[in-house]
């Protein structure tokens, strides 16, 4: 069964860049059947889709975050990554990575999530 | 963006009794390919979201058959036929028909 695991700093200073990596096991980011996505959830609030990447490097980002987001993929490490620049306290959230089964547009497997706090 | 509105926001339920959650979208979720990309997710306390239902009514692998989804167009429903203690959590509907994907605000299911 596929598993996803987020990793990265839990604390980021305002105006700096948040960087997270998602490591995939039990499956390959090079599979043409899936997109690889990031979603976030501010404490006590709902879910917000950030963006996703295809193994080819093709990306789609939420327009609300597009100017600050970069998602990349490293097929050799079976990982994909998120960078969010110029962060503020509003970017404090649990960040999840997830697999998207492209044909059914289904977010079928999720990582456990990692809390990132933006604070000086 | 398509706005997903769930009702109720909180649903106290007696164990063994049914529960129902509604989700309404601000636009039709029927894609030009004829499919409707409406999913339901469950988030237990302290856990990540888990896929329950996709394309309105298809149960994901390992999901108990007490969970069912229905609806069409802009109105959708998740039903739990007999609530069990492990069903406590927040339930989200989600659309992926139109870019960007969006989620409902969540419905909290708790035991009375």
């Amino acid at each position: 069964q596929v598993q996803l695991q987020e990793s990265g700093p839990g604390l980021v200073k305002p105006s700096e860049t948040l960087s997270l990596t998602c490591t995939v096991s039990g499956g390959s980011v090079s599979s043409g059947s899936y997109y690889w996505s990031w979603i976030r959830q501010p404490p006590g609030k709902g879910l917000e889709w950030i963006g996703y990447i295809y193994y080819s490097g093709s990306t789609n980002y939420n327009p609300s975050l597009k100017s600050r987001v970069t998602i990349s993929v490293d097929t050799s490490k079976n990982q994909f990554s998120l960078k969010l620049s110029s962060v503020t306290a509003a970017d404090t959230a649990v960040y999840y990575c997830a697999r998207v089964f492209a044909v059914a547009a289904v977010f079928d497997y999720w990582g456990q999530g990692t809390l990132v706090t933006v604070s000086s | 963006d398509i706005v997903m509105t769930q009702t109720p926001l909180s649903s106290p339920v007696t164990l063994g009794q049914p529960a129902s959650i509604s989700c309404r979208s601000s636009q039709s979720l029927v894609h030009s390919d004829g499919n409707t990309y409406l999913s339901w997710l469950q988030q237990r306390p302290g856990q990540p979201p888990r896929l329950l239902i996709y394309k309105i009514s298809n149960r994901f692998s390992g999901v108990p058959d007490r969970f069912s989804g229905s609806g069409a167009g802009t109105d959708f429903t998740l039903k739990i036929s007999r609530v069990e203690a492990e069903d406590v959590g927040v339930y989200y509907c989600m659309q992926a028909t139109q870019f960007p994907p969006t989620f409902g605000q969540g419905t909290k299911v708790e035991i009375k």
Side-chain angles (χ1 to χ4, degrees):
Chain A
Q1 179 171 322
V2 65
Q3 293 186 323
L4 298 92
Q5 181 65 58
E6 305 87 351
S7 59
L11 181 64
V12 181
K13 290 182 168 56
S15 80
E16 294 189 346
T17 296
L18 176 161
S19 296
L20 296 174
T21 296
C22 182
T23 300
V24 179
S25 58
S28 172
V29 297
S30 298
S31 169
S33 298
Y34 304 101
Y35 289 89
W36 304 91
S37 187
W38 288 96
I39 304 99
R40 69 179 183 179
Q41 184 174 36
K45 296 188 178 181
L47 298 160
E48 179 182 32
W49 176 75
I50 298 171
Y52 48 55
I53 191 164
Y54 197 50
Y55 78 98
S56 62
S58 172
T59 54
N60 265 305
Y61 301 136
N62 193 321
S64 67
L65 297 167
K66 186 175 183 178
S67 63
R68 299 193 292 132
V69 172
T70 302
I71 298 176
S72 58
V73 65
D74 187 336
T75 56
S76 67
K77 295 182 178 179
N78 218 30
Q79 295 175 335
F80 61 106
S81 298
L82 168 70
K83 290 188 185 300
L84 181 65
S85 63
S86 305
V87 297
T88 69
D91 296 310
T92 293
V94 175
Y95 286 75
Y96 296 101
C97 57
R99 188 182 80 168
V100 183
F101 182 40
V103 170
V106 169
F107 289 61
D108 58 1
Y109 289 98
W110 295 61
Q112 286 296 308
T114 187
L115 174 63
V116 179
T117 301
V118 179
S119 175
S120 56
Chain B
D1 296 4
I2 291 181
V3 176
M4 307 295 287
T5 304
Q6 292 181 226
T7 55
L9 296 183
S10 178
S11 179
V13 185
T14 301
L15 285 173
Q17 293 300 302
S20 181
I21 301 169
S22 293
C23 176
R24 177 167 290 180
S25 58
S26 59
Q27 302 174 37
S28 173
L29 296 186
V30 180
H31 193 275
S32 57
D33 66 9
N35 289 302
T36 299
Y37 297 107
L38 184 283
S39 300
W40 289 96
L41 305 165
Q42 174 197 60
Q43 188 172 32
R44 291 170 171 153
Q47 294 295 310
R50 165 200 179 200
L51 176 65
L52 294 178
I53 303 281
Y54 64 97
K55 289 204 294 183
I56 302 177
S57 59
N58 296 275
R59 270 190 304 277
F60 187 55
S61 174
V63 174
D65 60 8
R66 65 178 181 275
F67 290 94
S68 64
S70 63
T74 61
D75 289 285
F76 305 92
T77 302
L78 175 70
K79 291 183 179 177
I80 310 173
S81 59
R82 295 172 304 280
V83 171
E84 298 188 5
E86 65 178 17
D87 300 335
V88 165
V90 180
Y91 291 77
Y92 295 93
C93 60
M94 176 202 164
Q95 69 82 22
T97 291
Q98 185 179 111
F99 180 84
T102 50
F103 299 85
Q105 69 270 58
T107 294
K108 188 173 186 178
V109 171
E110 52 193 357
I111 305 301
K112 278 183 185 175

